[in-house]
Amino acid sequence: MVISHAGILVPGATGVLGTALALRLHEQGAAVAVAGRDQKRLARVSQACGDAPALAFDAYDLEQCARTVTWAADRLGGLDGVVVCVGGAAFGPAESVSDAVAEHLFTVNALAPITFLRAALPLLEPGGVIAAITGVVADSPLAGMADHSASKAGLAAWLRAVRREQRASGVTALEIRLPHVETGFGDRAVLGTPPVLPAGVPVADAVDAIVAALSAGARVVKPGHDAPLDVER
């Protein structure tokens, strides 16, 4: 995907990573549409992205998530990519996680992202990209994060299956399998306190890797050996 000519929707653009990504895409010439929960933050992001089309949504309203995609395609005159930056966290042993918290995690981390991306598939231009943030917990579940890990693993499995389905269409399904990134994400957990972690990947480095992956038609962004993040085609 050529970023400078692309129409890209960023759901979750009011979060730290989503905001940084939307700004970077705008700076590189993309036509960006932004969507998020916090209307005040959304207005600021829209303004910073050249008064980009902006729409508030609730991740619990899956029909609204799907409508957001068709809205973006209409406002942008087509759609080349959707990068979902929506997510939530919870910490604590499995028995301490209520069914309500588990439902929240699976809705925000799996069902809502999948809904955005499913709605995008029939609308994408040839060579388009669907992408979402999973995390290293999708492959390496952590104690004290059972439900969070499971919800991210569900999203990862969906992306990997859709990647196989879309081979003939030329649509890329990008899994953004990030390690700990310095977004303050854990401090906004719906349950529990995050463990003490070493310094994470800077937000700018994570955005660099995501944009590089979108440009290259890559399959995965993942922790690297010689660099904080690798892009795997």
Side-chain angles (χ1 to χ4, degrees), residues 110-227:
L111 291 178
I114 287 170
T115 299
F116 280 114
L117 301 180
R118 190 195 317 277
L121 285 171
L123 302 178
L124 287 175
E125 301 292 343
V129 178
I130 60 169
I133 296 170
T134 59
V136 293
V137 295
D139 282 337
S140 301
L142 295 178
M145 296 182 68
D147 289 83
H148 175 88
S149 299
S151 64
K152 290 294 191 179
L155 175 57
W158 189 88
L159 284 165
R160 294 168 198 176
V162 170
R163 184 182 303 131
R164 296 186 178 98
E165 293 175 359
Q166 294 295 319
R167 281 175 180 164
S169 72
V171 170
T172 300
L174 170 63
E175 180 188 352
I176 305 168
R177 195 185 307 155
L178 297 178
H180 171 51
V181 178
E182 291 293 345
T183 63
F185 180 73
D187 298 332
R188 298 185 293 276
V190 295
L191 176 72
T193 302
V196 176
L197 296 170
V201 175
V203 170
D205 289 355
V207 169
D208 285 344
I210 294 169
V211 172
L214 293 171
S215 300
R219 298 181 302 135
V220 181
V221 174
K222 62 181 183 179
H225 296 292
D226 301 320

Side-chain angles (χ1 to χ4, degrees), residues 11-210:
T14 54
V16 174
L17 187 57
T19 294
L21 177 62
L23 288 170
R24 181 71 63 81
L25 292 170
H26 168 68
E27 290 166 359
Q28 294 199 3
V32 178
V34 293
R37 183 179 60 178
D38 187 314
Q39 294 194 6
K40 290 183 178 179
R41 291 182 183 177
L42 190 60
R44 292 196 293 269
V45 175
S46 170
Q47 185 177 32
C49 292
D51 293 323
L55 187 67
F57 72 91
D58 183 342
Y60 269 79
D61 187 340
L62 299 182
E63 290 184 359
Q64 186 183 41
C65 294
R67 290 195 302 269
T68 299
V69 179
T70 55
W71 160 84
D74 180 64
R75 292 297 301 274
L76 296 175
L79 197 62
D80 298 287
V82 178
V83 186
V84 182
C85 299
V86 176
F91 303 95
E95 64 270 20
S96 72
V97 177
S98 68
D99 291 339
V101 168
E103 180 183 25
H104 173 85
L105 292 173
F106 277 85
T107 300
V108 173
N109 290 343
L111 291 178
I114 287 170
T115 299
F116 280 114
L117 301 180
R118 190 195 317 277
L121 285 171
L123 302 178
L124 287 175
E125 301 292 343
V129 178
I130 60 169
I133 296 170
T134 59
V136 293
V137 295
D139 282 337
S140 301
L142 295 178
M145 296 182 68
D147 289 83
H148 175 88
S149 299
S151 64
K152 290 294 191 179
L155 175 57
W158 189 88
L159 284 165
R160 294 168 198 176
V162 170
R163 184 182 303 131
R164 296 186 178 98
E165 293 175 359
Q166 294 295 319
R167 281 175 180 164
S169 72
V171 170
T172 300
L174 170 63
E175 180 188 352
I176 305 168
R177 195 185 307 155
L178 297 178
H180 171 51
V181 178
E182 291 293 345
T183 63
F185 180 73
D187 298 332
R188 298 185 293 276
V190 295
L191 176 72
T193 302
V196 176
L197 296 170
V201 175
V203 170
D205 289 355
V207 169
D208 285 344
I210 294 169

